[in-house]
Amino acid sequence: MKSYRKELWFNVPSRRGFVNITPEVDACLQESGIREGLCLVNAMHITASVFINDDEAGLHHDYERWLEKLAPHEPVGQYRHNVGEDNADAHMKRQLMGREVVVAVTDGRLDFGTWERIFYGEFDGRRRKRVLVKIIGE
Amino acid sequence: MKSYRKELWFNVPSRRGFVNITPEVDACLQESGIREGLCLVNAMHITASVFINDDEAGLHHDYERWLEKLAPHEPVGQYRHNVGEDNADAHMKRQLMGREVVVAVTDGRLDFGTWERIFYGEFDGRRRKRVLVKIIGE
Amino acid sequence: MKSYRKELWFNVPSRRGFVNITPEVDACLQESGIREGLCLVNAMHITASVFINDDEAGLHHDYERWLEKLAPHEPVGQYRHNVGEDNADAHMKRQLMGREVVVAVTDGRLDFGTWERIFYGEFDGRRRKRVLVKIIGE
């Protein structure tokens, strides 16, 4: 069994945003040399997500509005977590979108349906944060 | 290490529905011959889910109503994604229910609690769509 | 390839609660002797979650209120599942928080960001329930 590990760093300049990280994850897979196995991609921060969905700007706008409706940022005082912080809503948005994805590796490629892309979802940005890529297989 | 891959196809005749796919996934595991490892089951489409919960019709009715409350289909014009499409809500429902499950494989069986069953959750049906089963182990 | 399996048991004395199970999962990893691989931790019950977030009491209070808002327990009669049961909301809260986490194992440790901790999320407690830890690697 082979294993591979890499940290990817992101710095989203706004509080919230979505970044297509499929090319970076694919580059990790090529670097790993693994042909058959599983690829785990997870946020290492608890106010960010890694998820798989469509690379379509309209949908990302809809996600932003929808997440704000289900877990609003303001008023920040509504959350007990927000003592000296203002990111309680980010901890909720991250649960809705998920921490991680596990992707099958087949014949040396990410085994995806037509429209599947991997995104980093930032909900408390404006600082450097990490995503972990771990691949096992052979 | 052994690896196994299979695509399962579904065609849900309505826009939304839940299908118990545990027997199909179990048949994959038997075909793989893998006794110890991990089994990934994921939707290959971004408007569908794979999740684990109860095979109980009342609960599925409740899920349908609940998902419509949190991410309503109509009015379709409320979503920017819905230009020439009407499935933005399906991309949200899929995030609530999840893309994938990872199931332990122990002694050649899906290592489940008493009531755990795997479901395909369709949110934009009436066409053929795929689920990927990938098993690694030995 | 090595594989390891253990069931952890919990009995949360209230209907809902969050338990930091990171030490128990870490003890499993040490017992397994696995240095590189993947660690799956999943609820074996469909009214409970395993998730990764912050070990902060204020946030847990916020999660409790937020989950009650998105999937209220009462009135129990609003759910068709609640025939001789009253836990339909628990099946929904579990979907919001997730069934499982997959954690990278690197150099014999859980490969975590600074604040990542594993929680058992109980939504229908006052009885003994199980979490499965399955680790594969070498």
Side-chain angles (χ1 to χ4, degrees):
Chain A
M1 199 197 79
K2 290 165 84 166
S3 72
Y4 171 92
R5 176 193 194 275
K6 189 159 207 168
E7 292 178 5
L8 306 175
W9 287 85
F10 300 96
N11 192 339
V12 173
S14 48
R15 184 183 298 275
R16 292 189 292 274
F18 301 118
V19 183
N20 182 344
I21 65 173
T22 316
E24 284 88 342
V25 176
D26 195 50
C28 288
L29 178 56
Q30 299 317 312
E31 194 175 86
S32 76
I34 291 172
R35 306 277 308 165
E36 292 291 326
L38 294 176
C39 175
L40 167 70
V41 188
N42 70 264
M44 300 184 79
H45 297 256
I46 52 189
T47 50
S49 286
V50 170
F51 66 95
I52 287 176
N53 218 293
D54 199 0
D55 194 5
E56 199 277 300
L59 180 66
H60 297 177
H61 170 88
D62 295 334
Y63 273 145
E64 159 66 18
R65 279 190 57 220
W66 179 67
L67 291 167
E68 263 298 284
K69 196 176 104 189
L70 294 188
H73 179 66
E74 296 188 318
V76 297
Q78 75 188 291
Y79 300 112
R80 202 174 283 187
H81 180 63
N82 285 341
V83 178
E85 303 205 67
D86 67 353
N87 66 1
D89 65 299
H91 291 273
M92 283 150 203
K93 291 174 169 107
R94 123 65 170 260
Q95 290 306 122
L96 293 174
M97 297 302 276
R99 168 188 180 258
E100 78 215 10
V101 296
V102 178
V103 181
V105 173
T106 303
D107 288 337
R109 60 183 176 77
L110 298 169
D111 196 340
F112 271 154
T114 311
W115 301 106
E116 289 191 284
R117 300 291 181 278
I118 310 175
F119 286 87
Y120 175 66
E122 178 62 82
F123 306 117
D124 185 31
R126 298 171 296 187
R127 54 195 173 103
R128 295 183 76 226
K129 291 166 78 171
R130 283 179 295 165
V131 163
L132 180 64
V133 180
K134 183 92 184 187
I135 312 171
I136 70 168
E138 62 185 20
Chain B
M1 200 199 78
K2 291 166 82 166
S3 72
Y4 172 93
R5 177 194 194 273
K6 190 160 207 167
E7 292 178 6
L8 307 175
W9 287 85
F10 299 95
N11 192 340
V12 173
S14 47
R15 184 184 298 274
R16 292 188 292 274
F18 300 118
V19 183
N20 182 344
I21 64 173
T22 317
E24 285 88 340
V25 175
D26 196 49
C28 288
L29 179 56
Q30 299 317 312
E31 194 174 85
S32 76
I34 291 172
R35 305 279 307 164
E36 291 291 326
L38 294 177
C39 174
L40 167 70
V41 188
N42 69 266
M44 299 185 79
H45 297 256
I46 52 190
T47 51
S49 286
V50 170
F51 66 95
I52 287 176
N53 218 293
D54 199 0
D55 194 5
E56 198 278 299
L59 180 65
H60 297 177
H61 170 88
D62 295 334
Y63 274 146
E64 158 66 18
R65 278 191 57 220
W66 179 67
L67 290 168
E68 263 297 283
K69 198 176 102 189
L70 294 188
H73 179 65
E74 295 189 318
V76 297
Q78 75 189 290
Y79 300 111
R80 202 174 284 187
H81 180 62
N82 285 341
V83 177
E85 304 204 67
D86 66 353
N87 66 2
D89 65 300
H91 291 273
M92 283 150 204
K93 290 174 169 108
R94 123 66 170 259
Q95 290 306 122
L96 292 174
M97 297 303 274
R99 167 188 180 258
E100 77 213 11
V101 297
V102 178
V103 181
V105 173
T106 303
D107 288 338
R109 60 184 176 77
L110 298 168
D111 197 339
F112 271 154
T114 311
W115 301 106
E116 289 191 283
R117 300 292 181 277
I118 309 175
F119 287 87
Y120 175 66
E122 178 62 83
F123 306 116
D124 185 32
R126 299 172 294 188
R127 56 197 173 100
R128 296 183 75 227
K129 291 166 78 171
R130 286 178 295 165
V131 164
L132 179 64
V133 180
K134 183 92 184 187
I135 312 171
I136 70 168
E138 61 182 22
Chain C
M1 200 198 78
K2 291 167 82 167
S3 71
Y4 171 93
R5 177 194 194 274
K6 189 159 207 169
E7 291 178 6
L8 306 176
W9 287 85
F10 300 95
N11 192 338
V12 173
S14 47
R15 185 183 298 274
R16 292 189 292 274
F18 301 117
V19 184
N20 182 345
I21 64 173
T22 316
E24 286 87 341
V25 176
D26 196 50
C28 289
L29 178 56
Q30 300 317 312
E31 194 175 85
S32 76
I34 292 172
R35 306 277 306 163
E36 291 291 327
L38 294 177
C39 174
L40 168 69
V41 188
N42 70 264
M44 299 185 79
H45 297 256
I46 52 189
T47 51
S49 287
V50 170
F51 66 95
I52 287 177
N53 218 294
D54 198 0
D55 195 5
E56 199 278 301
L59 180 65
H60 297 178
H61 170 88
D62 295 334
Y63 274 145
E64 159 67 17
R65 279 190 58 219
W66 178 68
L67 291 167
E68 263 297 283
K69 198 175 103 189
L70 294 188
H73 179 65
E74 295 188 318
V76 297
Q78 75 188 291
Y79 300 111
R80 202 174 283 188
H81 180 63
N82 286 341
V83 178
E85 302 205 67
D86 67 354
N87 66 3
D89 65 300
H91 292 272
M92 282 148 204
K93 291 175 168 106
R94 123 66 169 261
Q95 291 305 122
L96 292 174
M97 297 303 275
R99 168 188 180 258
E100 78 213 12
V101 297
V102 178
V103 181
V105 173
T106 303
D107 289 337
R109 61 185 175 77
L110 299 168
D111 196 341
F112 270 156
T114 311
W115 301 105
E116 289 191 283
R117 299 292 180 277
I118 309 176
F119 286 87
Y120 175 65
E122 178 62 83
F123 306 116
D124 186 31
R126 299 171 296 188
R127 56 197 173 99
R128 296 183 76 226
K129 291 166 79 171
R130 284 178 295 165
V131 164
L132 179 64
V133 180
K134 183 91 184 187
I135 311 171
I136 69 167
E138 61 184 21

